[in-house]
Amino acid sequence: MKNFFGRMGDSLRRFMMGRYGMDDLNRFLFYTWVLLIVLELIIPVRGVKSLLSTLGLLVVIFELFRMLSRNIAKRYQENLKFLDMTAGLRKTLRINRRKFDDRKTYRYFRCPGCGQEVRVPKGKGHIRITCPKCGKSFEKNV
Ligand SMILES: [Zn+2]
């Protein structure tokens, strides 16, 4: 015999069968909703509060609509469009995350010739760096 949570999980799975579920756009909508709630809590202006709570409600309704939708092809296309529209931003975030992660072992410089960003290991003292893109070399302390 299954326990209560096992049975709950089964019926949720049955309910979600043939429905779209979670994707990147829905995750984004979820975080937007959380952000709106936090803003609503910290901004003490009544008019702004009700605007934020209305906006949050709309975001949640849209997210639930997408999750429970049976038109999977259409939701999939929306998600691709969302990913396409945010590709540049997501790339910038990824690069900055990487720079932050290796801030202790690498330094980043911009090539004075072409503007290409180059990554060099830290702690080597005064070094000559040759740009892998244009071949110009320049000196830096790392
Ligand atoms: Zn260069």
Side-chain angles (χ1 to χ4, degrees), residues 107-113 118 120-121 124-131 135-142:
R107 285 198 67 181
Y108 289 81
F109 296 105
R110 229 167 244 299
C111 166
V118 282
V120 291
K124 305 278 185 203
H126 193 75
I127 58 165
R128 172 164 287 279
I129 302 161
T130 304
C131 173
K136 183 179 175 68
S137 59
F138 53 101
E139 291 178 17
K140 289 283 179 188
N141 282 309
V142 290

Side-chain angles (χ1 to χ4, degrees), residues 8 16-17 23-24 29 36 45-46 67 69 76 91 93 129:
M8 284 283 286
M16 287 306 290
M17 218 178 270
D23 67 1
D24 308 272
L29 290 171
L36 287 170
V45 184
R46 189 191 270 175
M67 274 181 83
S69 170
Y76 183 75
K91 188 181 176 191
L93 289 174
I129 302 161

